[in-house]
Amino acid sequence: MQEYGPRLVVPIDLKKKPQEQKHRLHNRWHPEIPPVAEVKAGEVFRVEMMDYSGGGITRNYSADDIKFADQSIIQEGTPEWEKIAVEAARTIPGRENGGNCDIKNLSRGSKIYLPVFVDGANLSTGDMHFSQGDGEVSFCGAIEMSGFLELKCEIIRGGMKEYLTPMGPTSLHVNPIFEIGPVEPRFSEWLVFEGISVDESGRQHYLDASVAYKRAVLNAIDYLSKFGYSKEQMYLLLSCCPCEGRISGIVDSPNAVATIAIPTAIFDQDIRPKTRIVPVGPRLVRNPDVLKCTYDGNLPTTKNPGATT
């Protein structure tokens, strides 16, 4: 039977664990991990993947071919296995080679230009998100998912020398370049919360954008909790909704300024500040440890124009 669409080069069985897959998954990168599949440069192909708990799939570039790799050929407990385990880079953080960058705008149609530091390259796909807010502030608070990626890879020979100037003492001090795709959530109205680099104890952290963004997020959580939501709910919401994070100021010492913009359309009530106090939405009741929802106040309702009564 003839198959249509991109060729599947790395299949995943969601009923099996990562180590039970046809090509065992990995959580480290290393140039000595051997290849298990191969595609031609410019060919459109498909890679299946599990959610974040399953790791990723490693691919090795070689000449005009792109080779896929994992550690299934290397026996656990052997000196080669131990060497790779000690030397390899974990896939958790973002790195000079790309890594787990978790940029929410990198969706369908994006282009990624990744620097290659070693023979055979090693780039991975994995950690797919259905939705995510900038920063993924509760670690794995995005809506994680399994799925597949259809892509093609090309090699720009001499591209690093031509386009990337090292910002440091070695050739490793470069980073990827991205072209954002056309498919992403679009909103027109936002409520923006500011944070500065002064922590909860009142200690000032000189131009620390991480502290500033944390404060912006905490300010947003506290504000939104006044509209009938628990702070835990808002913490998770800001991890998975398409909120926009910004470093808004790092030149006005001593305080860095960061902001988080939340689309107002994702709420079923008006969350903007008002000149008078009005009844708010659903409130949470713990009885004894189960979250239940009750309505307080005279809440507005939307009339159905087609209703007869």
Side-chain angles (χ1 to χ4, degrees):
M1 181 177 178
Q2 183 177 358
E3 295 184 0
Y4 295 93
R7 180 165 63 96
L8 176 62
V9 297
V10 179
I12 289 292
D13 185 345
L14 296 178
K15 296 181 181 180
K16 294 183 179 180
K17 298 178 181 180
Q19 64 272 22
E20 297 172 343
Q21 299 295 327
K22 178 181 179 180
H23 306 308
R24 294 172 63 185
L25 308 186
H26 75 281
N27 59 11
R28 287 169 171 80
W29 292 312
H30 195 281
E32 294 181 16
I33 295 177
V36 296
E38 184 174 313
V39 299
K40 290 290 185 181
E43 175 189 356
V44 180
F45 55 93
R46 176 180 291 191
V47 178
E48 294 179 342
M49 60 198 75
M50 306 179 74
D51 64 22
Y52 78 98
S53 62
I57 312 296
T58 301
R59 301 191 295 283
N60 284 349
Y61 285 69
S62 177
D64 290 326
D65 297 330
I66 295 107
K67 296 183 178 180
F68 290 75
D70 75 16
Q71 67 256 40
S72 59
I73 302 175
I74 304 171
Q75 296 298 316
E76 186 172 358
T78 63
E80 187 179 10
W81 175 286
E82 298 298 334
K83 176 178 182 293
I84 291 176
V86 172
E87 295 179 352
R90 291 297 300 269
T91 60
I92 292 175
R95 296 181 181 275
E96 294 83 356
N97 65 323
N100 188 23
C101 50
D102 278 340
I103 300 173
K104 78 173 194 301
N105 309 85
L106 293 181
S107 57
R108 191 172 66 185
S110 298
K111 293 182 180 179
I112 306 175
Y113 302 87
L114 295 170
V116 176
F117 299 107
V118 296
D119 292 337
N122 284 349
L123 83 90
S124 286
T125 60
D127 196 14
M128 300 184 75
H129 294 167
F130 178 81
S131 180
Q132 179 200 314
D134 279 340
E136 197 183 3
V137 295
S138 65
F139 181 57
C140 57
I143 301 178
E144 309 282 347
M145 63 177 286
S146 301
F148 64 86
L149 178 67
E150 293 180 352
L151 72 160
K152 66 178 180 179
C153 297
E154 297 178 350
I155 300 171
I156 303 177
R157 299 194 180 281
M160 289 180 62
K161 182 179 179 180
E162 185 72 21
Y163 296 112
L164 301 178
T165 301
M167 298 297 172
T170 75
S171 60
L172 295 177
H173 289 81
V174 295
N175 293 98
I177 300 172
F178 305 95
E179 290 185 47
I180 299 302
V183 182
E184 62 176 354
R186 301 293 173 91
F187 296 92
S188 59
E189 297 182 355
W190 306 78
L191 196 60
V192 182
F193 297 86
E194 179 184 301
I196 62 174
S197 52
V198 177
D199 66 22
E200 300 90 298
S201 69
R203 179 188 173 194
Q204 187 176 64
H205 299 256
Y206 185 79
L207 293 182
D208 191 324
S210 294
V211 173
Y213 192 60
K214 176 185 177 183
R215 293 301 307 166
V217 170
L218 290 176
N219 290 338
I221 291 173
D222 182 74
Y223 175 89
L224 293 169
S225 70
K226 302 180 188 302
F227 287 81
Y229 310 102
S230 72
K231 292 186 176 181
E232 292 84 356
Q233 286 176 318
M234 291 301 97
Y235 184 38
L236 293 175
L237 179 72
L238 298 186
S239 294
C240 64
C241 79
C243 57
E244 300 280 350
R246 295 287 186 270
I247 298 177
S248 302
I250 53 173
V251 296
D252 298 325
S253 58
N255 287 335
V257 178
T259 54
I260 183 169
I262 304 171
T264 57
I266 66 175
F267 297 93
D268 60 358
Q269 59 176 309
D270 187 353
I271 61 168
R272 295 172 298 177
K274 302 169 183 66
T275 57
R276 61 186 181 88
I277 302 300
V278 297
V280 296
R283 296 188 176 277
L284 292 167
V285 178
R286 298 180 185 272
N287 186 21
D289 61 347
V290 178
L291 294 179
K292 294 185 177 181
C293 184
T294 182
Y295 281 91
D296 297 328
N298 184 20
L299 296 177
T301 59
T302 301
K303 294 184 179 180
N304 181 0
T308 57
T309 58

